[in-house]
Amino acid sequence: MSAPKKDVESAHHEDAKELYSVTSGGTANQPAGIDAEVANFFSGENGPIEISEEENVRLRWKVHKRVLVVMVVTYFAQTLDKGTINFASIMGIIKDTGLHGQQYSWLTTCLYIVILCWEFPTNRLIQRFPIGKYLAFNIMAWGAVLASTAACKNFAGLATVRTLLGFFECVCQPAFVFMSTMWYKREEQALVIGSFYSMNGFQQCVGGLIGYGISRIHGGPIKNWQVLFLLLGCLTVVWGAFVAWWLPDSPMRAKCWSERDRILIAERVRKNETGIQNREFKTYQMWEALRDPIVWLVTLISFTNALPTGGLGAFSNLIIVAFGYTQLQTYLLAIAQGAIIMSFLFSAAYLSKHVNQRLIFAFLYTLPNIIGTIVFLTVPTNAHTKVGLLIAFYLTQGFGAVAVLNLSVMSGNIAGRSKQVTATSMTFIAWAVGNAIGPQVFRDNDKPRYIKAFIAHIIVYGIQVSAIIVLRLHLMHRNILKRRAQAKEETKATGEAANEHLEHKNAFADLTDRENPDFRYVY
């Protein structure tokens, strides 16, 4: 079995030596590995196209209107829908459905367990099917499931709908990471990912207002938490139908724009060296991903960042109530929490773009989490300390910034569509495992302060900062080796150095980052 695999890999490396840009001619002699639709799309072009900054801005706004808007609103719907259980927890759903012990924790855990199981298959389906249509189907499906939560009477019913919710919702993040590589330059990706990820904070703001408004409903034919699930579920179904009509599947199929604009939009991302699409799953790229330290380090950071997130997300309102705040104050404080999450996210994305550093800021944005957690462990709860504890809780919301920067490192440093599928699956499986474990470290017999949970958080933060440092050093070393192989100046510069003048001939050839001599790592 091993000999054929080596032959296949040798053939791909041999192809890489002779590979020319798909824009340099027709498809008759196209190199092995290029997606046929991509090759045909560029067949009428004679070479790479220079795009002026004015034209680049015009094209980017076109993409924003069709693609970024869908990412942002869909992710807002997902986080709001997934977080409804948190708002419902102080509306009476725990009492009305007879939940006890760890059952409430399991409602969050079961959602992430199914994500863990379905992550790779959904990534493969994202690669195989038109991404806009596949995304729209999943949005409508999870909206229907969310609305049906209103009919649940016990733990078994709630666990069933939460499991189905995870099944359909897990398409969002991997689809959006893939879309960011398809439509946006590497230097734009952190802000793009930050824009949709910021909806974690915005849903806290809006969700707090919606939660408070619906919690005032009393004496109706159904409970207020049932109104919450029905309203959000039905709105999500309507949005999914709109996405099916509005979102283009790729630049090649974007009939909403002229043919020339579609070609220029694709040309914009040439220097990414990560391609646009390839529907064929290449096993050798999967094995390369499984052997790549970059993939494993990004995966580890995804896990360590998600474990505290999972618990804090499910228990945030209960923790704040334990500080001595009323139900109304807790809803209003959730709005401030959301604003802080958004400020962390946008500041990290903005700074990483303008300073051109991702992992340094990932390290720095982990520090507030550590500080806030130490305060939880050392400061007692009383009337004099509740404001300080609340500030400490807000400091722990820096996890979103780290998640954005980690995803931008992955999207910018993994090339080859099948390698991307594997790496993205591993990253979000780790994210799901972290989120699944997160609520379980908040033990019912440890409330209201949950000291043991915060000790676990300190440990994983220590692992996280170590992984960030190692990943940055490894990416620096990779760039030195890349430049040495091309007899260029051996600098540690992130991305393409100004004096390199790379031709980017292999940009759409579905080569992995290791195969492509023009690929430069960003960190």
Side-chain angles (χ1 to χ4, degrees), residues 421-476:
V421 166
T422 307
T424 304
S425 298
M426 291 170 62
T427 300
F428 287 113
I429 285 171
W431 171 81
V433 171
N435 275 286
I437 295 173
Q440 298 304 319
V441 302
F442 286 81
R443 307 303 297 176
D444 196 54
N445 58 8
D446 198 31
K447 63 183 183 183
R449 289 293 306 281
Y450 300 106
I451 296 298
K452 293 175 183 176
F454 290 115
I455 291 173
H457 289 187
I458 283 289
I459 294 170
V460 298
Y461 287 139
I463 296 170
Q464 179 167 301
V465 295
S466 301
I468 290 169
I469 293 169
V470 173
L471 178 56
R472 179 177 166 81
L473 293 174
H474 185 72
L475 290 169
M476 285 181 175

Short mmCIF file of all heavy atoms in Angstrom, two decimals, residues 421-476:
data_model
loop_
_atom_site.label_atom_id
_atom_site.label_comp_id
_atom_site.label_asym_id
_atom_site.label_seq_id
_atom_site.Cartn_x
_atom_site.Cartn_y
_atom_site.Cartn_z
N VAL A 421 -9.41 21.12 4.16
CA VAL A 421 -10.56 20.38 4.72
C VAL A 421 -10.13 19.63 5.97
O VAL A 421 -10.82 19.66 7.00
CB VAL A 421 -11.12 19.41 3.66
CG1 VAL A 421 -12.08 18.40 4.31
CG2 VAL A 421 -11.84 20.17 2.56
N THR A 422 -8.99 18.96 5.89
CA THR A 422 -8.51 18.18 7.04
C THR A 422 -8.15 19.09 8.21
O THR A 422 -8.55 18.83 9.35
CB THR A 422 -7.28 17.35 6.63
OG1 THR A 422 -7.59 16.58 5.47
CG2 THR A 422 -6.85 16.43 7.75
N ALA A 423 -7.40 20.17 7.93
CA ALA A 423 -6.98 21.07 8.99
C ALA A 423 -8.17 21.77 9.64
O ALA A 423 -8.24 21.91 10.87
CB ALA A 423 -6.00 22.11 8.43
N THR A 424 -9.11 22.22 8.81
CA THR A 424 -10.30 22.89 9.34
C THR A 424 -11.12 21.93 10.20
O THR A 424 -11.61 22.31 11.28
CB THR A 424 -11.17 23.44 8.19
OG1 THR A 424 -10.39 24.29 7.37
CG2 THR A 424 -12.37 24.20 8.72
N SER A 425 -11.25 20.69 9.75
CA SER A 425 -11.98 19.69 10.53
C SER A 425 -11.32 19.47 11.88
O SER A 425 -11.99 19.44 12.92
CB SER A 425 -12.05 18.36 9.76
OG SER A 425 -12.74 18.52 8.55
N MET A 426 -10.00 19.31 11.88
CA MET A 426 -9.29 19.09 13.13
C MET A 426 -9.44 20.28 14.07
O MET A 426 -9.66 20.12 15.28
CB MET A 426 -7.80 18.84 12.84
CG MET A 426 -7.53 17.52 12.14
SD MET A 426 -5.82 17.38 11.54
CE MET A 426 -4.89 17.47 13.08
N THR A 427 -9.35 21.49 13.51
CA THR A 427 -9.45 22.70 14.33
C THR A 427 -10.82 22.81 14.99
O THR A 427 -10.92 23.10 16.20
CB THR A 427 -9.19 23.95 13.47
OG1 THR A 427 -7.88 23.86 12.91
CG2 THR A 427 -9.29 25.22 14.30
N PHE A 428 -11.88 22.55 14.23
CA PHE A 428 -13.21 22.70 14.80
C PHE A 428 -13.65 21.48 15.60
O PHE A 428 -14.52 21.60 16.48
CB PHE A 428 -14.21 23.05 13.69
CG PHE A 428 -14.06 24.46 13.21
CD1 PHE A 428 -13.62 24.75 11.93
CD2 PHE A 428 -14.31 25.52 14.06
CE1 PHE A 428 -13.45 26.05 11.50
CE2 PHE A 428 -14.15 26.83 13.65
CZ PHE A 428 -13.71 27.10 12.36
N ILE A 429 -13.06 20.33 15.34
CA ILE A 429 -13.28 19.19 16.24
C ILE A 429 -12.68 19.51 17.62
O ILE A 429 -13.31 19.27 18.66
CB ILE A 429 -12.67 17.89 15.66
CG1 ILE A 429 -13.55 17.37 14.51
CG2 ILE A 429 -12.52 16.82 16.74
CD1 ILE A 429 -12.93 16.22 13.74
N ALA A 430 -11.47 20.07 17.62
CA ALA A 430 -10.85 20.48 18.88
C ALA A 430 -11.69 21.55 19.57
O ALA A 430 -11.86 21.53 20.81
CB ALA A 430 -9.44 21.00 18.62
N TRP A 431 -12.21 22.50 18.77
CA TRP A 431 -13.10 23.53 19.32
C TRP A 431 -14.34 22.89 19.95
O TRP A 431 -14.76 23.29 21.05
CB TRP A 431 -13.48 24.48 18.18
CG TRP A 431 -14.54 25.48 18.48
CD1 TRP A 431 -14.40 26.67 19.14
CD2 TRP A 431 -15.93 25.39 18.12
NE1 TRP A 431 -15.60 27.32 19.21
CE2 TRP A 431 -16.56 26.56 18.59
CE3 TRP A 431 -16.69 24.44 17.45
CZ2 TRP A 431 -17.91 26.80 18.41
CZ3 TRP A 431 -18.05 24.68 17.26
CH2 TRP A 431 -18.64 25.85 17.75
N ALA A 432 -14.90 21.89 19.28
CA ALA A 432 -16.10 21.22 19.80
C ALA A 432 -15.78 20.44 21.07
O ALA A 432 -16.57 20.45 22.03
CB ALA A 432 -16.67 20.28 18.74
N VAL A 433 -14.62 19.76 21.09
CA VAL A 433 -14.23 19.02 22.30
C VAL A 433 -14.06 19.98 23.47
O VAL A 433 -14.53 19.72 24.59
CB VAL A 433 -12.92 18.23 22.04
CG1 VAL A 433 -12.40 17.63 23.35
CG2 VAL A 433 -13.15 17.13 21.02
N GLY A 434 -13.40 21.11 23.22
CA GLY A 434 -13.22 22.09 24.28
C GLY A 434 -14.54 22.63 24.80
O GLY A 434 -14.76 22.74 26.02
N ASN A 435 -15.46 22.94 23.88
CA ASN A 435 -16.78 23.44 24.29
C ASN A 435 -17.61 22.37 24.99
O ASN A 435 -18.43 22.69 25.85
CB ASN A 435 -17.53 23.96 23.06
CG ASN A 435 -17.18 25.40 22.73
OD1 ASN A 435 -17.61 26.33 23.41
ND2 ASN A 435 -16.38 25.58 21.70
N ALA A 436 -17.41 21.10 24.59
CA ALA A 436 -18.14 20.01 25.23
C ALA A 436 -17.65 19.78 26.66
O ALA A 436 -18.44 19.54 27.58
CB ALA A 436 -18.00 18.73 24.41
N ILE A 437 -16.34 19.86 26.84
CA ILE A 437 -15.77 19.65 28.17
C ILE A 437 -16.03 20.86 29.06
O ILE A 437 -16.25 20.72 30.27
CB ILE A 437 -14.25 19.38 28.07
CG1 ILE A 437 -14.00 18.06 27.33
CG2 ILE A 437 -13.60 19.34 29.46
CD1 ILE A 437 -12.54 17.80 27.04
N GLY A 438 -16.02 22.06 28.46
CA GLY A 438 -16.13 23.30 29.23
C GLY A 438 -17.23 23.34 30.27
O GLY A 438 -16.97 23.61 31.45
N PRO A 439 -18.49 23.06 29.90
CA PRO A 439 -19.56 23.09 30.90
C PRO A 439 -19.41 22.02 31.98
O PRO A 439 -19.90 22.19 33.10
CB PRO A 439 -20.83 22.84 30.07
CG PRO A 439 -20.46 23.21 28.68
CD PRO A 439 -19.01 22.84 28.54
N GLN A 440 -18.73 20.92 31.65
CA GLN A 440 -18.61 19.82 32.61
C GLN A 440 -17.64 20.13 33.75
O GLN A 440 -17.70 19.48 34.80
CB GLN A 440 -18.17 18.55 31.88
CG GLN A 440 -19.15 18.06 30.83
CD GLN A 440 -20.55 17.83 31.38
OE1 GLN A 440 -20.73 17.30 32.48
NE2 GLN A 440 -21.56 18.25 30.62
N VAL A 441 -16.73 21.09 33.55
CA VAL A 441 -15.84 21.45 34.65
C VAL A 441 -16.55 22.35 35.66
O VAL A 441 -16.04 22.56 36.76
CB VAL A 441 -14.53 22.11 34.14
CG1 VAL A 441 -13.80 21.20 33.19
CG2 VAL A 441 -14.79 23.47 33.51
N PHE A 442 -17.71 22.89 35.28
CA PHE A 442 -18.54 23.64 36.22
C PHE A 442 -19.47 22.64 36.92
O PHE A 442 -20.58 22.37 36.45
CB PHE A 442 -19.33 24.73 35.50
CG PHE A 442 -18.50 25.90 35.08
CD1 PHE A 442 -17.74 25.85 33.92
CD2 PHE A 442 -18.47 27.06 35.85
CE1 PHE A 442 -16.97 26.93 33.52
CE2 PHE A 442 -17.69 28.15 35.46
CZ PHE A 442 -16.94 28.09 34.30
N ARG A 443 -19.00 22.07 38.02
CA ARG A 443 -19.74 21.01 38.72
C ARG A 443 -20.84 21.61 39.59
O ARG A 443 -20.67 22.68 40.21
CB ARG A 443 -18.81 20.17 39.58
CG ARG A 443 -17.59 19.60 38.86
CD ARG A 443 -17.97 18.76 37.67
NE ARG A 443 -18.74 17.59 38.05
CZ ARG A 443 -19.26 16.74 37.18
NH1 ARG A 443 -19.11 16.96 35.87
NH2 ARG A 443 -19.94 15.68 37.58
N ASP A 444 -21.97 20.91 39.65
CA ASP A 444 -23.11 21.39 40.41
C ASP A 444 -22.78 21.54 41.89
O ASP A 444 -23.30 22.43 42.57
CB ASP A 444 -24.29 20.42 40.23
CG ASP A 444 -25.61 21.03 40.67
OD1 ASP A 444 -25.95 22.12 40.18
OD2 ASP A 444 -26.29 20.42 41.51
N ASN A 445 -21.88 20.68 42.40
CA ASN A 445 -21.52 20.73 43.82
C ASN A 445 -20.43 21.77 44.12
O ASN A 445 -19.95 21.86 45.24
CB ASN A 445 -21.07 19.35 44.31
CG ASN A 445 -19.88 18.81 43.52
OD1 ASN A 445 -19.29 19.51 42.71
ND2 ASN A 445 -19.56 17.55 43.77
N ASP A 446 -20.03 22.55 43.09
CA ASP A 446 -18.98 23.55 43.26
C ASP A 446 -19.51 24.97 43.12
O ASP A 446 -18.74 25.93 43.17
CB ASP A 446 -17.88 23.30 42.21
CG ASP A 446 -16.57 23.98 42.56
OD1 ASP A 446 -16.28 24.13 43.76
OD2 ASP A 446 -15.84 24.38 41.62
N LYS A 447 -20.85 25.12 42.90
CA LYS A 447 -21.41 26.45 42.72
C LYS A 447 -21.53 27.15 44.07
O LYS A 447 -21.52 26.48 45.12
CB LYS A 447 -22.76 26.36 41.99
CG LYS A 447 -23.85 25.61 42.73
CD LYS A 447 -25.10 25.53 41.86
CE LYS A 447 -26.22 24.83 42.61
NZ LYS A 447 -27.42 24.68 41.77
N PRO A 448 -21.62 28.48 44.12
CA PRO A 448 -21.78 29.37 42.96
C PRO A 448 -20.46 29.90 42.39
O PRO A 448 -20.44 30.50 41.34
CB PRO A 448 -22.59 30.53 43.55
CG PRO A 448 -22.11 30.63 44.97
CD PRO A 448 -21.81 29.21 45.40
N ARG A 449 -19.32 29.69 43.09
CA ARG A 449 -18.05 30.30 42.65
C ARG A 449 -17.32 29.43 41.62
O ARG A 449 -16.51 29.93 40.85
CB ARG A 449 -17.14 30.52 43.87
CG ARG A 449 -17.60 31.64 44.79
CD ARG A 449 -17.50 32.99 44.14
NE ARG A 449 -16.16 33.26 43.63
CZ ARG A 449 -15.14 33.63 44.37
NH1 ARG A 449 -15.30 33.81 45.69
NH2 ARG A 449 -13.96 33.86 43.84
N TYR A 450 -17.56 28.14 41.61
CA TYR A 450 -16.94 27.22 40.64
C TYR A 450 -15.40 27.34 40.63
O TYR A 450 -14.77 27.48 39.58
CB TYR A 450 -17.48 27.47 39.23
CG TYR A 450 -18.97 27.29 39.11
CD1 TYR A 450 -19.82 28.40 38.98
CD2 TYR A 450 -19.55 26.01 39.11
CE1 TYR A 450 -21.20 28.23 38.86
CE2 TYR A 450 -20.92 25.84 39.00
CZ TYR A 450 -21.74 26.96 38.88
OH TYR A 450 -23.10 26.79 38.76
N ILE A 451 -14.80 27.23 41.81
CA ILE A 451 -13.35 27.41 41.95
C ILE A 451 -12.58 26.37 41.13
O ILE A 451 -11.59 26.69 40.45
CB ILE A 451 -12.95 27.33 43.43
CG1 ILE A 451 -13.58 28.49 44.23
CG2 ILE A 451 -11.42 27.35 43.57
CD1 ILE A 451 -13.14 29.86 43.77
N LYS A 452 -13.00 25.11 41.17
CA LYS A 452 -12.28 24.05 40.45
C LYS A 452 -12.29 24.31 38.95
O LYS A 452 -11.31 24.02 38.25
CB LYS A 452 -12.90 22.69 40.76
CG LYS A 452 -12.73 22.25 42.20
CD LYS A 452 -13.46 20.95 42.48
CE LYS A 452 -13.36 20.56 43.96
NZ LYS A 452 -14.14 19.33 44.27
N ALA A 453 -13.38 24.87 38.45
CA ALA A 453 -13.47 25.17 37.01
C ALA A 453 -12.42 26.22 36.63
O ALA A 453 -11.74 26.09 35.60
CB ALA A 453 -14.87 25.67 36.65
N PHE A 454 -12.25 27.24 37.46
CA PHE A 454 -11.32 28.30 37.12
C PHE A 454 -9.86 27.85 37.29
O PHE A 454 -8.97 28.38 36.62
CB PHE A 454 -11.63 29.56 37.92
CG PHE A 454 -12.91 30.21 37.50
CD1 PHE A 454 -14.00 30.28 38.36
CD2 PHE A 454 -13.06 30.73 36.22
CE1 PHE A 454 -15.19 30.87 37.96
CE2 PHE A 454 -14.24 31.32 35.80
CZ PHE A 454 -15.31 31.39 36.67
N ILE A 455 -9.62 26.88 38.16
CA ILE A 455 -8.28 26.29 38.24
C ILE A 455 -7.96 25.58 36.92
O ILE A 455 -6.85 25.70 36.37
CB ILE A 455 -8.18 25.31 39.43
CG1 ILE A 455 -8.24 26.07 40.75
CG2 ILE A 455 -6.90 24.48 39.34
CD1 ILE A 455 -8.31 25.19 41.97
N ALA A 456 -8.95 24.84 36.39
CA ALA A 456 -8.76 24.17 35.09
C ALA A 456 -8.48 25.20 34.00
O ALA A 456 -7.65 24.97 33.11
CB ALA A 456 -9.99 23.34 34.75
N HIS A 457 -9.15 26.34 34.04
CA HIS A 457 -8.95 27.38 33.05
C HIS A 457 -7.51 27.91 33.07
O HIS A 457 -6.90 28.13 32.02
CB HIS A 457 -9.93 28.54 33.28
CG HIS A 457 -11.35 28.20 32.94
ND1 HIS A 457 -12.36 29.13 32.95
CD2 HIS A 457 -11.93 27.03 32.58
CE1 HIS A 457 -13.51 28.55 32.61
NE2 HIS A 457 -13.26 27.27 32.39
N ILE A 458 -6.97 28.13 34.26
CA ILE A 458 -5.59 28.62 34.38
C ILE A 458 -4.62 27.64 33.72
O ILE A 458 -3.67 28.04 33.02
CB ILE A 458 -5.22 28.83 35.86
CG1 ILE A 458 -5.85 30.12 36.39
CG2 ILE A 458 -3.71 28.87 36.05
CD1 ILE A 458 -5.23 31.39 35.82
N ILE A 459 -4.83 26.36 33.92
CA ILE A 459 -3.94 25.34 33.35
C ILE A 459 -3.98 25.39 31.82
O ILE A 459 -2.94 25.39 31.16
CB ILE A 459 -4.33 23.94 33.86
CG1 ILE A 459 -4.07 23.84 35.37
CG2 ILE A 459 -3.55 22.85 33.10
CD1 ILE A 459 -4.63 22.59 36.02
N VAL A 460 -5.17 25.45 31.23
CA VAL A 460 -5.26 25.44 29.77
C VAL A 460 -4.72 26.74 29.17
O VAL A 460 -4.16 26.73 28.07
CB VAL A 460 -6.69 25.14 29.27
CG1 VAL A 460 -7.15 23.77 29.70
CG2 VAL A 460 -7.68 26.21 29.69
N TYR A 461 -4.85 27.86 29.90
CA TYR A 461 -4.26 29.11 29.39
C TYR A 461 -2.74 29.01 29.34
O TYR A 461 -2.10 29.55 28.43
CB TYR A 461 -4.69 30.29 30.26
CG TYR A 461 -6.13 30.72 30.08
CD1 TYR A 461 -6.91 31.09 31.17
CD2 TYR A 461 -6.71 30.75 28.81
CE1 TYR A 461 -8.24 31.48 31.02
CE2 TYR A 461 -8.03 31.15 28.65
CZ TYR A 461 -8.79 31.50 29.75
OH TYR A 461 -10.10 31.89 29.59
N GLY A 462 -2.16 28.34 30.33
CA GLY A 462 -0.71 28.13 30.32
C GLY A 462 -0.27 27.32 29.11
O GLY A 462 0.75 27.63 28.46
N ILE A 463 -1.03 26.29 28.78
CA ILE A 463 -0.74 25.48 27.59
C ILE A 463 -0.89 26.33 26.33
O ILE A 463 -0.10 26.24 25.39
CB ILE A 463 -1.67 24.26 27.54
CG1 ILE A 463 -1.41 23.34 28.73
CG2 ILE A 463 -1.49 23.49 26.23
CD1 ILE A 463 -2.44 22.23 28.89
N GLN A 464 -1.91 27.19 26.32
CA GLN A 464 -2.19 28.01 25.14
C GLN A 464 -1.06 28.98 24.82
O GLN A 464 -0.62 29.06 23.66
CB GLN A 464 -3.49 28.79 25.36
CG GLN A 464 -3.88 29.68 24.19
CD GLN A 464 -5.31 30.18 24.32
OE1 GLN A 464 -6.24 29.38 24.39
NE2 GLN A 464 -5.49 31.49 24.37
N VAL A 465 -0.57 29.70 25.80
CA VAL A 465 0.49 30.67 25.52
C VAL A 465 1.76 29.96 25.06
O VAL A 465 2.51 30.47 24.20
CB VAL A 465 0.77 31.58 26.73
CG1 VAL A 465 -0.43 32.45 27.04
CG2 VAL A 465 1.18 30.79 27.96
N SER A 466 2.01 28.77 25.59
CA SER A 466 3.18 27.99 25.15
C SER A 466 3.03 27.58 23.69
O SER A 466 3.99 27.68 22.90
CB SER A 466 3.35 26.75 26.03
OG SER A 466 3.52 27.10 27.39
N ALA A 467 1.83 27.13 23.31
CA ALA A 467 1.59 26.71 21.92
C ALA A 467 1.72 27.89 20.96
O ALA A 467 2.24 27.74 19.85
CB ALA A 467 0.20 26.08 21.80
N ILE A 468 1.27 29.06 21.35
CA ILE A 468 1.37 30.25 20.50
C ILE A 468 2.83 30.59 20.23
O ILE A 468 3.22 30.89 19.09
CB ILE A 468 0.64 31.44 21.16
CG1 ILE A 468 -0.88 31.22 21.12
CG2 ILE A 468 1.00 32.76 20.46
CD1 ILE A 468 -1.67 32.21 21.96
N ILE A 469 3.65 30.53 21.26
CA ILE A 469 5.09 30.83 21.10
C ILE A 469 5.75 29.83 20.16
O ILE A 469 6.49 30.21 19.24
CB ILE A 469 5.79 30.84 22.48
CG1 ILE A 469 5.28 32.01 23.32
CG2 ILE A 469 7.31 30.92 22.31
CD1 ILE A 469 5.71 31.95 24.78
N VAL A 470 5.49 28.55 20.38
CA VAL A 470 6.09 27.51 19.54
C VAL A 470 5.64 27.65 18.09
O VAL A 470 6.45 27.51 17.15
CB VAL A 470 5.74 26.10 20.09
CG1 VAL A 470 6.21 25.01 19.13
CG2 VAL A 470 6.37 25.89 21.45
N LEU A 471 4.36 27.94 17.86
CA LEU A 471 3.84 28.09 16.50
C LEU A 471 4.52 29.25 15.78
O LEU A 471 4.90 29.13 14.60
CB LEU A 471 2.33 28.30 16.54
CG LEU A 471 1.61 28.52 15.20
CD1 LEU A 471 1.88 27.38 14.23
CD2 LEU A 471 0.11 28.71 15.41
N ARG A 472 4.69 30.35 16.44
CA ARG A 472 5.33 31.50 15.80
C ARG A 472 6.77 31.17 15.40
O ARG A 472 7.21 31.48 14.28
CB ARG A 472 5.29 32.70 16.75
CG ARG A 472 5.98 33.93 16.17
CD ARG A 472 5.85 35.13 17.11
NE ARG A 472 6.77 36.20 16.73
CZ ARG A 472 6.55 37.08 15.76
NH1 ARG A 472 5.44 37.03 15.07
NH2 ARG A 472 7.44 38.01 15.49
N LEU A 473 7.51 30.54 16.29
CA LEU A 473 8.90 30.17 15.98
C LEU A 473 8.97 29.19 14.81
O LEU A 473 9.85 29.29 13.95
CB LEU A 473 9.56 29.57 17.23
CG LEU A 473 9.77 30.52 18.41
CD1 LEU A 473 10.29 29.76 19.62
CD2 LEU A 473 10.73 31.65 18.03
N HIS A 474 8.01 28.26 14.77
CA HIS A 474 8.01 27.26 13.70
C HIS A 474 7.71 27.91 12.34
O HIS A 474 8.33 27.57 11.33
CB HIS A 474 6.98 26.18 14.00
CG HIS A 474 6.99 25.06 13.01
ND1 HIS A 474 8.00 24.12 12.95
CD2 HIS A 474 6.11 24.72 12.02
CE1 HIS A 474 7.75 23.26 11.98
NE2 HIS A 474 6.61 23.60 11.40
N LEU A 475 6.76 28.85 12.31
CA LEU A 475 6.43 29.53 11.06
C LEU A 475 7.60 30.38 10.57
O LEU A 475 7.86 30.47 9.36
CB LEU A 475 5.18 30.38 11.23
CG LEU A 475 3.87 29.61 11.41
CD1 LEU A 475 2.75 30.55 11.85
CD2 LEU A 475 3.48 28.89 10.14
N MET A 476 8.29 31.02 11.47
CA MET A 476 9.50 31.77 11.10
C MET A 476 10.52 30.85 10.42
O MET A 476 11.09 31.20 9.38
CB MET A 476 10.13 32.40 12.36
CG MET A 476 9.42 33.60 12.91
SD MET A 476 10.32 34.21 14.36
CE MET A 476 9.40 35.69 14.71
#
